[in-house]
Amino acid sequence: MKHEDEEGLILEHLEDLIFYDEGFVYGEDCDYPYKHILSITYIATVIKKSINFVPTGTTYKIYLCLHLADKFNLRIEQERSFFGMKEKQKAEAVMRASALFHEITFTHRMEGYEKQLEEKGFISWGNYQFSKDGDLFKQNEFLFNLKDDDVKKTLNVFAFQAGKKPKGFKGALVKFWKGTEIIDISKDRDCFLYFMKNYLGYTWTSEPVKEKKKQRQHEFYEAILILGAKVCKADGRVDTKEIKTFKRYFGIDENSFPGASEIFTEATHTSYGTNNAAQKVYDLFEGKKEPLEHIVIGFLQIAATDGVITIDERRIIEGVCNVFKFSNEEIERLFLIFDSIRQEERGSEDSGFSSGHRIQYLKILGLGSHATYEEVKMAYKELVKKHHPDILLAQGIPIERIKDSEEILKTINAAYNWLSNDANQKKRCAF
């Protein structure tokens, strides 16, 4: 793979690893496509040390191993930490890398398990085999059916435990000698959860289950096409420049999604469907505000293609924001962020807002007019964390859209820098 014209995603404290659209680079001359990752093993351990009950420090041990198609195991190593310096941050970098690999390759890995299920009638995790009917085997010897009423099932961080509930004294003895089956699921834990939910009907409230990307992507593309068409048609006509902006921002066309033109055209000829499409997008992102904000910014980009956002275009976009459960203050904040991005793109000397618009900068950070500088710092840190590229990628924003999403982060930084300078100037004047 060649990446000369492609800007990769690099994680802080893990600079040997670079994510690209179709693959990744790790170390020198080590270039791998995502489709070659067959499975992923991930284990994280936090060890708190002490001497005579006095805490002496914390050690973070992260194991991230990618099992590749050529039977090669690639381990992503935590950067060396001298005297424990930034050990936590370096461990967290590997954790974020694990989340990205799991998110990007989930569909491909799960399809591998489903192929095994179709060909052999079971899926293997270590020495254990699971059938789609719930039968559990150990080294091909039948143990019990997970759906039986007397089978207790427990999910831990990296293990799944299952065993028959003891009945009477004899049952207790059998339990004592046989014990509970402890199944290691540190390898492709996300695929295990998907299998348990979609084939056996078991879920755990604290454990979100991924969806296969093709299914999720199809639903997302269809909903975005409908909403994009509504925005384009809001002013009475569909401009070819608006369609071009839509394709550039969302990356959806006939090549990426066959049938896109038909869905888009049909949506421009109907007066309904906006709320249903917006609700679908909201559900796909489980109400997470940050990716939904980037989608709204995209619609604003489309509406402003001809130089002005009309009342009807604004009404459509605000309607989408309402379905996304944005408050009036949050909607105003998004319009302010968009205005700042537009001025930056135009190269305006007065990029963003003038020094007299302190309240608008505060609104960009989601704060009221009487916010203290400490509140400004706290809001800024929280926003930067939420809008970090690898966090957005894990939430479903495609890698190719990360560069566009960074425009929001630039606006947040600009607002914070101005407010910081303003606070420092007031301190100097106090003296």
Side-chain angles (χ1 to χ4, degrees):
M1 292 179 293
K2 294 183 179 180
H3 307 293
E4 289 85 353
D5 300 326
E6 190 178 355
E7 186 176 348
L9 177 64
I10 302 176
L11 304 182
E12 188 179 7
H13 301 302
L14 196 59
E15 296 181 357
D16 286 343
L17 176 64
I18 309 175
F19 291 90
Y20 292 101
D21 287 352
E22 301 297 328
F24 67 99
V25 173
Y26 184 59
E28 296 181 2
D29 302 322
C30 296
D31 200 344
Y32 307 94
Y34 296 124
K35 63 183 179 182
H36 283 188
I37 300 176
L38 301 184
S39 58
I40 302 173
T41 299
Y42 172 71
I43 302 173
T45 307
V46 179
I47 303 172
K48 294 185 180 295
K49 298 179 179 179
S50 64
I51 299 177
N52 295 328
F53 304 104
V54 177
T56 58
T58 304
T59 300
Y60 301 86
K61 292 186 177 180
I62 310 295
Y63 180 83
L64 174 59
C65 185
L66 310 178
H67 308 282
L68 305 179
D70 57 3
K71 296 184 178 181
F72 175 69
N73 294 332
L74 177 64
R75 182 168 178 178
I76 307 296
E77 300 281 1
Q78 181 178 331
E79 287 186 357
R80 285 189 175 185
S81 181
F82 297 99
F83 306 108
M85 293 179 62
K86 296 186 177 180
E87 183 177 355
K88 181 180 179 181
Q89 293 92 324
K90 292 175 180 180
E92 288 175 344
V94 182
M95 293 179 189
R96 290 196 297 271
S98 172
L100 290 176
F101 279 121
H102 277 86
E103 182 70 29
I104 294 167
T105 66
F106 172 71
T107 298
H108 173 70
R109 289 181 292 112
M110 190 62 228
E111 287 177 345
Y113 281 104
E114 289 179 322
K115 183 179 180 181
Q116 182 189 45
L117 186 63
E118 182 181 348
E119 293 177 350
K120 298 183 178 180
F122 62 83
I123 289 179
S124 296
W125 259 273
N127 294 326
Y128 294 87
Q129 297 82 40
F130 296 78
S131 78
K132 61 182 178 181
D133 297 323
D135 289 338
L136 178 63
F137 300 82
K138 185 175 183 180
Q139 295 179 335
N140 299 315
E141 179 183 345
F142 177 75
L143 296 175
F144 45 77
N145 189 289
L146 292 170
K147 295 183 178 181
D148 290 345
D149 294 336
D150 60 345
V151 173
K152 183 179 180 181
K153 298 166 284 293
T154 306
L155 182 70
N156 296 327
V157 180
F158 300 112
F160 172 73
Q161 298 183 20
K164 289 258 187 180
K165 298 176 183 177
K167 295 181 179 179
F169 179 73
K170 184 178 178 181
L173 287 178
V174 172
K175 182 75 174 179
F176 177 82
W177 288 109
K178 290 192 69 174
T180 300
E181 302 298 331
I182 303 176
I183 302 157
D184 182 7
I185 57 171
S186 59
K187 184 177 181 180
D188 293 334
R189 185 178 189 272
D190 52 353
C191 294
F192 180 83
L193 293 175
Y194 181 93
F195 171 75
M196 294 299 286
K197 175 186 176 182
N198 291 278
Y199 287 89
L200 302 185
Y202 294 118
T203 58
W204 289 263
T205 54
S206 60
E207 295 288 343
V209 180
K210 288 185 173 68
E211 294 182 34
K212 287 195 291 185
K213 188 176 181 181
K214 288 179 181 176
Q215 176 185 346
R216 186 179 189 276
Q217 188 179 67
H218 183 282
E219 293 177 356
F220 173 72
Y221 279 3
E222 186 175 27
I224 291 297
L225 281 164
I226 293 171
L227 294 176
K230 301 297 185 184
V231 174
C232 289
K233 188 63 182 295
D235 58 0
R237 63 188 183 88
V238 180
D239 193 297
T240 55
K241 292 181 180 179
E242 291 177 327
I243 295 176
K244 186 176 180 181
T245 302
F246 173 84
K247 290 179 179 180
R248 182 196 68 78
Y249 192 90
F250 290 106
I252 306 175
D253 53 25
E254 281 293 327
N255 292 326
S256 62
F257 187 55
S261 297
E262 183 179 349
I263 295 171
F264 187 93
T265 302
E266 183 180 349
T268 61
H269 288 92
T270 60
S271 58
Y272 56 87
T274 305
N275 287 350
N276 289 338
Q279 186 64 49
K280 173 61 70 176
V281 174
Y282 179 85
D283 292 341
L284 286 171
F285 286 100
E286 298 176 344
K288 295 183 178 71
K289 289 287 179 70
E290 288 71 36
L292 295 176
E293 287 181 0
H294 292 289
I295 290 168
V296 173
I297 294 294
F299 293 146
L300 289 169
Q301 294 272 20
I302 295 166
T305 300
D306 56 2
V308 62
I309 298 178
T310 67
I311 294 175
D312 290 328
E313 287 171 331
R314 185 182 181 103
R315 186 181 296 117
I316 287 284
I317 294 172
E318 287 180 346
V320 172
C321 288
N322 290 329
V323 177
F324 288 172
K325 298 184 180 179
F326 289 147
S327 66
N328 291 335
E329 291 76 16
E330 288 171 328
I331 295 173
E332 183 184 4
R333 173 177 171 269
L334 286 175
F335 275 85
L336 288 172
I337 288 174
F338 173 70
D339 286 340
S340 183
I341 291 173
R342 285 187 73 194
Q343 291 188 39
E344 180 72 27
E345 290 175 346
R346 291 170 177 172
S348 171
E349 293 181 2
D350 183 23
S351 181
F353 303 102
S354 68
S355 59
H357 293 165
R358 179 175 182 273
I359 292 177
Q360 291 175 308
Y361 282 115
L362 288 170
K363 285 181 178 179
I364 285 176
L365 299 184
L367 298 171
S369 58
H370 299 293
T372 65
Y373 182 56
E374 289 301 317
E375 290 173 327
V376 167
K377 288 196 293 185
M378 289 177 62
Y380 170 72
K381 289 179 180 180
E382 189 66 21
L383 286 170
V384 167
K385 182 171 67 175
K386 288 180 177 180
H387 286 273
H388 196 283
D390 55 294
I391 297 296
L392 293 171
L393 186 62
Q395 291 178 340
I397 296 292
I399 289 179
E400 61 269 20
R401 297 274 68 81
I402 291 296
K403 188 174 180 181
D404 288 333
S405 73
E406 289 175 349
E407 296 300 322
I408 294 181
L409 200 54
K410 286 181 183 178
T411 303
I412 292 169
N413 285 329
Y416 174 71
N417 289 336
W418 188 92
L419 291 168
S420 295
N421 293 334
D422 182 57
N424 291 330
Q425 187 176 1
K426 287 179 179 177
K427 284 180 181 179
R428 287 193 296 270
C429 290
F431 288 103

